[in-house]
Amino acid sequence: MIRAFETHKIRRTKELSSCLWKFHTVTEEGDGQSISVAVPGCWETYPETVNYRGKGSYSREFEAGGNIRLEFKGVSHTATVRVDGQQVATHYNAYTPFDVVMKDMKPGTHGLEVEADNAFGPDSALHVPNDYQSYGGISRGVILEELGDIYISWMHFTPLWKGSWQGTVQINLCNLTDRPYIGTLKLSLDGKEFYACPVQLEGGETRVVETGELSFEQAKSWSPEEPVLCMLGAVICDAGGTPVDDLIDRIGFREVRVEGKDILLSGKKLFIKGFCRHEDHPQFGCALPFEAMQYDLMVAKDLGANSIRTSHYPNDELFLDLCDEQGILVWEENHARGLSEENMRNPHFEQQCEDCIREMITAHYNHPSIYIWGILNECASHTEYGKSCYTAQYDLIRKLDPYRPRSSASCQFKTDICFGLPEVVSYNIYPKWYHDTPVKEYLEDLYQWVQTDTEGKGKPFLITETGAGAIYGYRTPAKVKWSEEYQAEALKQQITAVFEQEGCSGIYIWQFCDVRVCDSWFSIRPRTMNNKGIVDEYRRPKLSYEVVKSLYKSKGNYRE
Ligand code: ADA
């Protein structure tokens, strides 16, 4: 399953995932034994490759002809794609989609091979040994599409509140022929056509068509309480009026704006009660199926949460679809965790971050649930070089999306120099876990420093991580660290302090569930897992579950 709804009625598409592919490892000693595996999937979930790091080859055949587009929603973490033995694409980063268009293919059966590589090394600036697992494999869906002469590669909708709902649409068209193309573009909302314009493209041209501001006076607003969604359809018709290509996406009418110390959702002051969540599951690795994603959201909702932070990378779009449907606000972030200035000076860092941001925003722009873009979790926001990287990335986001607020989860206690750049100031804090300063005192002190000594003064302030570790089932009257009792008490104090902190727009608990981490983290991570989940890796609740639930449920979605 790729998306929660149909994205084409005219374009011929076929899912190449949700079935078995052939898989074997690729090493200098030769190829491993070929086995049948489910795609999407991660090889850490196959019996023989639980701890394998390196290259793996996935293959299958497909039938098609003419202009073909293959889209990969995520291959972890470097992909080389071959069709009929010829290399047609390469891509770095597990967490963003990429595609390849091949023109004039002979009708018939073709061989598809995807070689995935999850090795660490100097070429990989973002996938580094980290406090989560970089799995290997085709971890998200694969789609085959047959295109005509022209196709719509993306469509972005921006809702604008001007006393009633207005909006603009941008549609990116690609002419695959070397001849001029003349046709018509038509847009519809929930099946009703509201816009049409002639389109004319030169041979080989790719062009963005913009509608200008349009009125949607009847539109209902999207909100966490009433997540109303509409189907936006774009159709290209040829000169004779025959529909030749289409793209359908789901949108919501809502506006996110920052005013003083508040993040406003359609004019209301948001209060975030959230969880940081890794895509991780003992049975599926990072390739969670639809049912497991939905189960996580059901648990998060039961806990009283209204938001998920996609720490520390863009998520599977199916998960975002589910958040749109269920009114869960999303902090979506680019891929980076805990990189030092030295890491950020890796010659590939800038380009790999830029690609990730560009692919994330292009693909996810329309999701009403995404209320903020995050970048560079806990990186070097305390150095001048680091600041230059933050500046470049924030600028890029602004070019790609002028509307959503931006932020970074900082851990630079009283040394961050980047708060002048984003609209929202965010901190990760771990009092009662990594140090013993009383939570309230620590938070007040930090907040006062932001307000008096930094360019973050007067901006909204979020706690993007707080939490404590607990090994599932470890209970002891001594209530020591790693016990469920300790975690429950620590969270109680942390959440209460954040709720009481003046000027604070909300909290994300680190983290939703326990996750597997890279082996090199074993010494500070019992079980080689990050054990700060409110539920364990099997989603079994720890003692903190009821504590978090009663606190989260005691507060609404908005600040008074
Ligand atoms: C950091 C980091 C998380 C996780 C957490 C922890 O704040 O952003 O990825 O590593 O610490 O568990 O210590």
Side-chain angles (χ1 to χ4, degrees):
M1 188 171 176
I2 308 281
R3 300 291 302 273
F5 57 94
E6 221 183 349
T7 50
H8 300 279
K9 288 203 164 101
I10 295 165
R11 191 184 302 177
R12 290 181 59 195
T13 70
K14 184 174 185 271
E15 182 178 352
L16 295 184
S17 42
S18 294
C19 63
L20 296 180
W21 292 43
K22 289 284 174 217
F23 169 80
H24 63 78
T25 53
V26 179
T27 67
E28 277 171 12
E29 288 76 54
D31 292 350
Q33 207 193 341
S34 181
I35 55 168
S36 293
V37 299
V39 169
C42 304
W43 59 62
E44 287 80 357
T45 63
Y46 318 151
E48 297 290 329
T49 44
V50 182
N51 290 312
Y52 178 68
R53 189 165 292 283
K55 290 187 175 134
S57 163
Y58 290 80
S59 57
R60 62 159 287 165
E61 292 184 332
F62 66 88
E63 300 252 340
N67 296 335
I68 299 301
R69 177 171 177 267
L70 292 170
E71 184 180 3
F72 300 87
K73 292 288 187 184
V75 176
S76 188
H77 59 61
T78 295
T80 305
V81 181
R82 298 184 192 100
V83 172
D84 297 333
Q86 298 287 317
Q87 182 174 313
V88 293
T90 59
H91 181 261
Y92 172 77
N93 207 326
Y95 308 114
T96 48
F98 64 98
D99 68 352
V100 53
V101 174
M102 292 162 293
K103 293 203 279 187
D104 302 324
M105 283 188 73
K106 222 170 112 193
T109 305
H110 300 277
L112 170 63
E113 189 207 350
V114 179
E115 192 174 273
D117 187 351
N118 72 342
F120 299 127
D123 291 346
S124 174
L126 307 178
H127 283 277
V128 295
N130 222 327
D131 199 8
Y132 57 92
Q133 186 61 269
S134 271
Y135 289 99
I138 303 179
S139 48
R140 295 179 185 168
V142 184
I143 309 124
L144 164 71
E145 299 178 348
E146 288 187 313
L147 306 173
D149 291 346
I150 188 167
Y151 79 105
I152 304 166
S153 70
W154 53 259
M155 167 170 70
H156 288 169
F157 172 76
T158 307
L160 301 163
W161 178 253
K162 305 258 170 102
S164 66
W165 284 115
Q166 314 282 305
T168 60
V169 192
Q170 293 183 308
I171 304 103
N172 193 44
L173 303 176
C174 308
N175 180 0
L176 291 174
T177 71
D178 50 16
R179 305 173 305 278
Y181 192 92
I182 294 179
T184 311
L185 169 71
K186 293 180 178 175
L187 300 178
S188 64
L189 194 67
D190 288 336
K192 279 199 203 106
E193 189 179 312
F194 65 89
Y195 181 85
C197 73
V199 286
Q200 196 164 350
L201 271 80
E202 296 304 321
E205 189 186 354
T206 292
R207 182 142 53 87
V208 179
V209 174
E210 308 205 18
T211 61
E213 225 170 282
L214 302 168
S215 176
F216 298 93
E217 282 186 1
Q218 305 304 318
K220 288 208 176 109
S221 304
W222 181 98
S223 68
E225 306 75 42
E226 268 190 277
V228 179
L229 295 168
C230 309
M231 305 307 296
L232 177 67
V235 176
I236 302 273
C237 298
D238 65 14
T242 306
V244 291
D245 191 54
D246 70 338
L247 181 59
I248 302 164
D249 206 353
R250 246 180 10 186
I251 57 155
F253 288 84
R254 57 101 190 92
E255 188 192 55
V256 187
R257 204 155 45 81
V258 161
E259 204 176 85
K261 290 185 179 177
D262 288 303
I263 306 169
L264 303 181
L265 181 77
S266 304
K268 287 165 106 177
K269 301 174 180 179
L270 270 184
F271 191 81
I272 297 294
K273 302 172 290 174
F275 287 102
C276 298
R277 174 181 174 273
H278 272 298
E279 291 180 323
D280 197 270
H281 194 286
Q283 197 179 344
F284 311 111
C286 66
L288 274 76
F290 169 77
E291 294 81 352
M293 291 179 191
Q294 173 52 16
Y295 186 73
D296 282 0
L297 284 175
M298 216 153 67
V299 172
K301 280 204 126 182
D302 182 58
L303 279 157
N306 60 11
S307 186
I308 296 286
R309 175 173 169 230
T310 70
S311 47
H312 300 297
Y313 38 77
N315 271 203
D316 192 320
E317 207 168 358
L318 190 51
F319 183 76
L320 301 174
D321 284 343
L322 292 173
C323 291
D324 290 342
E325 280 182 27
Q326 293 164 100
I328 301 278
L329 295 156
V330 176
W331 162 308
E332 177 147 79
E333 68 190 32
N334 76 338
H335 183 207
R337 181 207 166 274
L339 303 178
S340 63
E341 177 170 325
E342 193 191 339
N343 296 142
M344 292 167 90
R345 284 182 182 272
N346 176 312
H348 300 285
F349 172 78
E350 223 178 293
Q351 188 61 50
Q352 291 178 352
C353 284
E354 186 183 320
D355 291 346
C356 180
I357 289 174
R358 204 176 279 287
E359 289 164 350
M360 167 177 82
I361 296 182
T362 304
H364 297 170
Y365 187 91
N366 291 335
H367 290 279
S369 56
I370 300 176
Y371 77 102
I372 193 166
W373 300 117
I375 56 165
L376 299 174
N377 171 73
E378 295 195 351
C379 295
S381 52
H382 59 309
T383 73
E384 286 300 333
Y385 182 80
K387 188 175 179 182
S388 70
C389 301
Y390 278 76
T391 306
Q393 296 190 23
Y394 278 133
D395 286 351
L396 175 63
I397 294 181
R398 208 22 99 236
K399 274 196 208 124
L400 297 167
D401 181 352
Y403 299 99
R404 286 178 174 91
R406 303 158 299 170
S407 194
S408 301
S410 173
C411 67
Q412 312 300 347
F413 183 70
K414 291 193 177 179
T415 55
D416 199 299
I417 56 169
C418 290
F419 294 152
L421 304 171
E423 288 70 39
V424 176
V425 172
S426 304
Y427 254 107
N428 297 346
I429 59 166
Y430 285 90
K432 277 203 79 67
W433 187 251
Y434 290 126
H435 60 86
D436 292 326
T437 316
V439 187
K440 212 171 159 54
E441 195 181 301
Y442 183 81
L443 183 57
E444 267 170 13
D445 181 32
L446 181 66
Y447 185 73
Q448 281 321 313
W449 174 75
V450 171
Q451 294 309 312
T452 46
D453 292 343
T454 80
E455 292 175 305
K457 182 180 174 189
K459 295 187 178 184
F461 179 84
L462 278 174
I463 292 302
T464 29
E465 287 181 30
T466 192
I471 310 285
Y472 178 82
Y474 178 42
R475 300 200 186 171
T476 160
K479 300 185 176 155
V480 291
K481 280 185 174 168
W482 298 118
S483 69
E484 289 196 28
E485 290 92 341
Y486 187 90
Q487 186 196 40
E489 178 57 29
L491 276 160
K492 187 172 165 196
Q493 292 187 30
Q494 291 165 342
I495 298 169
T496 308
V498 175
F499 279 10
E500 286 171 359
Q501 176 59 50
E502 168 247 320
C504 187
S505 289
I507 178 171
Y508 286 94
I509 291 173
W510 186 269
Q511 62 180 333
F512 175 70
C513 64
D514 293 349
V515 302
R516 187 171 165 185
V517 304
C518 283
D519 297 359
S520 52
W521 281 70
F522 75 95
S523 62
I524 50 164
R525 297 283 181 258
R527 310 189 302 140
T528 319
M529 304 276 296
N530 186 312
N531 298 292
K532 296 191 188 72
I534 304 308
V535 295
D536 77 348
E537 63 273 32
Y538 297 100
R539 280 56 177 172
R540 294 177 299 187
K542 301 180 188 172
L543 273 184
S544 57
Y545 192 103
E546 291 302 327
V547 172
V548 172
K549 182 171 171 172
S550 83
L551 284 165
Y552 269 18
K553 291 222 158 165
S554 72
K555 217 158 155 84
N557 294 330
Y558 305 98
R559 293 176 76 189
E560 280 87 53

